[in-house]
Amino acid sequence: MTRVWERAGKLLAVAGLLVGLAGCTGSDGEGGVGLGLPGKARAPGDVIRVSPEDGSRAVPPEGPLEVRVDSGRLERVSVTQVADGRRSAVAGEVSADGLRWRPAEGSRLALAAKYSVDAVALDEHGRRSARHTTFTTVVPESRFIGYFTPENRSTVGAGMIVSFGFNRPIENRAEVERAIRITADPPVEVVGHWFGKERLDFRPARYWAAGTKVTVELGLRDVEGAPGVYGIQRKTVGFTVGRSQVSLVDAAAHTMEVRRDGRVLATLPITAGAPKTTTYNGKMVVTELYDVTRMNGATVGFGGEYDIKDVPHAMRLTESGTFIHGNYWADPSTFGSANVSHGCVGLRDVKGGGADTPAGWFYDRSLVGDVVEVVNSQDREVAPDNGLGGWNLDWDGWKAGSALR
């Protein structure tokens, strides 16, 4: 099969300024990185300090909100409101000495909103470090809100699952599920599945067809989600399925076959999890893309085994910390011949991220919602609630998790 390394003409807009804190999990990884997990403390050795702490809840509208470094300088900072599937930037600027970012004078955060903070800093030797955090602001005591993905008006891959995370436990799950209506053009049945009382995902029986337009209608306003607690959202949002891209990682053969709309684009050499830190089997969905991110083993249960501050071309596959990413530190002969990672899937790259490397080629052709399936790894199947892992349930098992059946 053809190996294709040429660079795509244009970087994905969604990945342009995103940076983050991440880590690879092995078979026993208990990662705390990702979207909206509460109580995540700053990792030891973080160069970039963010207030409020990652995963904070009920942050007041006046903050405090600050990004700072003790030395070097902040290269770029992006603070974005992502609540309700929309993104809007928080105005602010870096101080003249480069050590601190603060919001513009008079700025206030929105109530019942989710924010992401993405920052890149350079130390005095020009070495780059990245950090990504999230927090949510206070919601009135008698109200609940659902934070959802994907973003409104986004273009996604065929494996996208619509996922709602609620800020309070939902007791009346049937009423809440009934108040969310998801339709597709062309039509397809879409069913909800609850993971506990604070998460509700929706998907069809099979991957979305390329070109499908999906509409999400939220009728949660005044719906009683729990005794005395009512929803506040009433709006319609939507997204488009751009194309179908499913990549099959064979951990035993050390290869990844990339298929676009059923046609093989390339077969790339990879390295997967080492024998003691194997990669999950099963279907995983790309949920975030970072042009550069930090990976610290301390965040996913590996202690001080690794701390790489500038991992290039990184794409999150699980909430617990599994990524497919560029790897510039392994010998080039490793790719296609050996498994040496801490559970991630590695593609050959160069420091800073190469345009014509396998990692750069794959990153430029990836979307949030693309599927990566791992086979022949000596590990268990990824849990359906670890990231957007719901495709690992068959259709009957998926429908069994609906409160309406």
Side-chain angles (χ1 to χ4, degrees), residues 202-226:
F202 291 87
R203 71 165 176 88
R206 289 172 288 278
Y207 300 143
W208 305 97
T212 299
K213 296 188 181 300
V214 182
T215 300
V216 182
E217 298 175 77
L218 287 83
L220 293 173
R221 182 175 294 277
D222 298 329
V223 172
E224 190 174 29

Side-chain angles (χ1 to χ4, degrees), residues 334-347:
T334 302
F335 304 95
S337 64
N339 291 330
V340 300
S341 84
H342 285 77
C344 288
V345 176
L347 294 165

Side-chain angles (χ1 to χ4, degrees), residues 42-247:
R42 184 168 60 86
D46 270 343
V47 174
I48 303 169
R49 302 168 184 265
V50 179
S51 179
E53 287 282 358
D54 192 18
S56 295
R57 294 184 175 183
V59 175
E62 62 273 13
L65 175 56
E66 181 182 75
V67 182
R68 66 188 187 277
V69 291
D70 294 331
S71 61
R73 65 181 177 85
L74 290 166
E75 184 179 49
R76 61 186 188 258
V77 176
S78 173
V79 180
T80 310
Q81 181 185 345
V82 295
D84 292 341
R86 298 190 175 112
R87 301 185 72 87
S88 58
V90 175
E93 61 181 17
V94 177
S95 58
D97 60 9
L99 298 177
R100 194 179 309 270
W101 179 96
R102 285 176 174 165
E105 187 175 354
S107 296
R108 286 174 61 86
L109 302 173
L111 290 172
K114 182 175 182 178
Y115 287 86
S116 67
V117 180
D118 297 285
V120 178
L122 295 175
D123 67 14
E124 56 269 26
H125 304 291
R127 293 174 298 203
R128 186 169 277 106
S129 183
R131 188 147 191 241
H132 168 80
T133 67
T134 63
F135 65 90
T136 55
T137 54
V138 66
V139 179
E141 190 64 31
S142 61
R143 297 290 185 173
F144 76 88
I145 191 170
Y147 303 106
F148 59 89
T149 189
E151 293 179 13
N152 187 30
R153 300 180 181 176
S154 59
T155 298
V156 301
M160 192 70 228
I161 292 175
V162 182
S163 183
F164 286 82
F166 297 99
N167 70 304
R168 291 191 171 89
I170 301 299
E171 301 293 341
N172 301 328
R173 291 188 291 176
E175 292 302 311
V176 169
E177 185 176 343
R178 189 176 291 112
I180 299 172
R181 183 169 179 261
I182 299 180
T183 55
D185 181 17
V188 64
E189 183 184 15
V190 182
V191 175
H193 184 103
W194 287 88
F195 296 105
K197 295 182 177 181
E198 296 184 16
R199 177 173 168 182
L200 172 61
D201 288 6
F202 291 87
R203 71 165 176 88
R206 289 172 288 278
Y207 300 143
W208 305 97
T212 299
K213 296 188 181 300
V214 182
T215 300
V216 182
E217 298 175 77
L218 287 83
L220 293 173
R221 182 175 294 277
D222 298 329
V223 172
E224 190 174 29
V229 179
Y230 297 87
I232 61 175
Q233 294 159 296
R234 180 180 289 125
K235 61 182 63 186
T236 299
V237 296
F239 61 92
T240 301
V241 179
R243 77 289 184 278
S244 173
Q245 182 166 296
V246 179
S247 301

Side-chain angles (χ1 to χ4, degrees), residues 281-305:
N281 285 295
K283 301 176 182 70
M284 293 168 264
V285 174
V286 175
T287 56
E288 296 174 298
L289 297 99
Y290 304 104
D291 58 355
V292 59
T293 191
R294 179 186 180 192
M295 290 189 175
N296 186 337
T299 67
V300 288
F302 286 115
E305 292 185 31

